Amino acid sequence: MSAEESAPPPRPSRTKSQRQLTAGRMFVYRLATYLGALILEVLWRTSRLKIVNLDRLETLLKEQDAVVPVFWHQHLLMAARFICSSKIKGMKPGFMISPSVDGQAPTMLAEMYGAHVVRGSGSYTGVRAVRGVYNAIVKEGISPTITPDGPRGPRFVMKPGAIFTAQISGKAVVPIAYAASPAKLLRTWDKFVIPFPFARLRIAIGEPYFPPKRMTEEEMEAAQKELERRLHETFKIAERALQER
């Protein structure tokens, strides 16, 4: 028997959670990815879209080459599609996605749209993820989007990962939010928002935040609270725009 014949079969890859990415699970993820993309395109292409303060984002991209976009997990669906759209001049989209098995399907969907993916989290990331984020931003000009309360909450609580990413790269954190009508609010931990087809959709770009290179623990906590405030204010801007006819 040859060495190849006697060697044990390769083990399925594992994520941080130690759940296995089996062939069966990957098949389900691929199916879910294609179905998700189909639904997303129907919602996006039929929406009556207006973008508030788009010039603010494009100016930052022109000045800095890349930014660190953030939006609540609740707004992931349409905000992520917006990041990957051709409506933003100078944007090279990227996403930081959980390294767990749960992050595999979103990773596949993001890559389907041509986005760069770094497997990390909204908290302080591991060395490998930090290196990946730094290289993506500084060397490739990619803007890595982060959901700062993801992947499992608590809802509307800002984790430090986005601020830390902005610190090491010298880029601005840019809040993004959307409001839609009619829309469905799911009974999930994040109260996930899904617009109906042909919904009125308003996406707002909030006030950017430029964190200092060094912060104490107390200053980091204050920065997190400030970004929470800016994200909530950005949503209010989108809501007000939705009320305008």
Side-chain angles (χ1 to χ4, degrees):
M1 183 179 290
S2 67
E4 289 184 356
E5 291 173 331
S6 62
R11 294 180 179 178
S13 59
R14 293 176 180 264
T15 62
K16 188 177 180 181
S17 68
Q18 297 303 305
R19 290 165 60 195
Q20 294 184 351
L21 285 174
T22 62
R25 184 169 281 129
M26 285 299 295
F27 174 78
V28 172
Y29 285 161
R30 288 193 183 95
L31 187 62
T33 297
Y34 285 113
L35 180 60
L38 176 62
I39 295 172
L40 180 56
E41 286 308 297
V42 169
L43 298 178
W44 177 257
R45 293 177 184 274
T46 62
S47 67
R48 291 169 285 169
L49 173 66
K50 289 185 179 180
I51 305 168
V52 183
N53 296 330
L54 178 60
D55 57 333
R56 172 182 282 170
L57 176 56
E58 291 182 338
T59 298
L60 281 169
L61 287 168
K62 188 175 181 179
E63 293 174 350
Q64 297 193 335
D65 295 326
V67 295
V68 182
V70 294
F71 42 77
W72 296 128
H73 203 274
Q74 179 185 62
H75 295 159
L76 176 60
L77 187 66
M78 304 310 287
R81 182 60 183 86
F82 166 65
I83 290 295
C84 292
S85 74
S86 59
K87 297 184 180 296
I88 311 172
K89 295 178 182 177
M91 172 71 79
K92 294 182 181 179
F95 293 93
M96 183 177 288
I97 299 176
S98 169
S100 70
V101 166
D102 293 336
Q104 185 62 33
T107 294
M108 295 166 67
L109 183 60
E111 290 175 343
M112 183 182 292
Y113 280 93
H116 181 92
V117 174
V118 175
R119 300 302 293 269
S121 70
S123 58
Y124 283 111
T125 57
V127 173
R128 184 177 180 181
V130 169
R131 186 185 301 116
V133 167
Y134 180 84
N135 288 337
I137 299 174
V138 176
K139 296 184 179 180
E140 301 179 52
I142 290 167
S143 297
T145 301
I146 298 174
T147 52
D149 59 346
R152 296 185 179 276
R155 182 165 67 110
F156 300 159
V157 175
M158 182 89 187
K159 297 174 185 175
I163 301 172
F164 182 58
T165 299
Q167 284 182 298
I168 65 173
S169 64
K171 308 301 182 183
V173 182
V174 181
I176 298 174
Y178 78 83
S181 179
K184 175 70 174 178
L185 200 66
L186 300 186
R187 295 181 179 180
T188 52
W189 70 264
D190 55 354
K191 300 295 187 287
F192 200 76
V193 180
I194 302 179
F196 288 5
F198 302 98
R200 291 184 296 119
L201 178 64
R202 304 294 181 263
I203 297 176
I205 313 300
E207 182 183 359
Y209 178 75
F210 299 85
K213 283 288 185 181
R214 297 183 181 276
M215 281 191 280
T216 64
E217 185 175 339
E218 290 76 16
E219 289 170 335
M220 174 61 79
E221 290 177 358
Q224 290 170 243
K225 292 297 183 184
E226 174 60 20
L227 269 167
E228 288 174 9
R229 185 195 68 79
R230 295 192 191 195
L231 274 164
H232 289 310
E233 180 58 34
T234 303
F235 175 63
K236 291 178 183 177
I237 293 171
E239 273 195 319
R240 289 194 292 268
L242 189 63
Q243 294 167 4
E244 299 172 357
R245 294 288 180 176

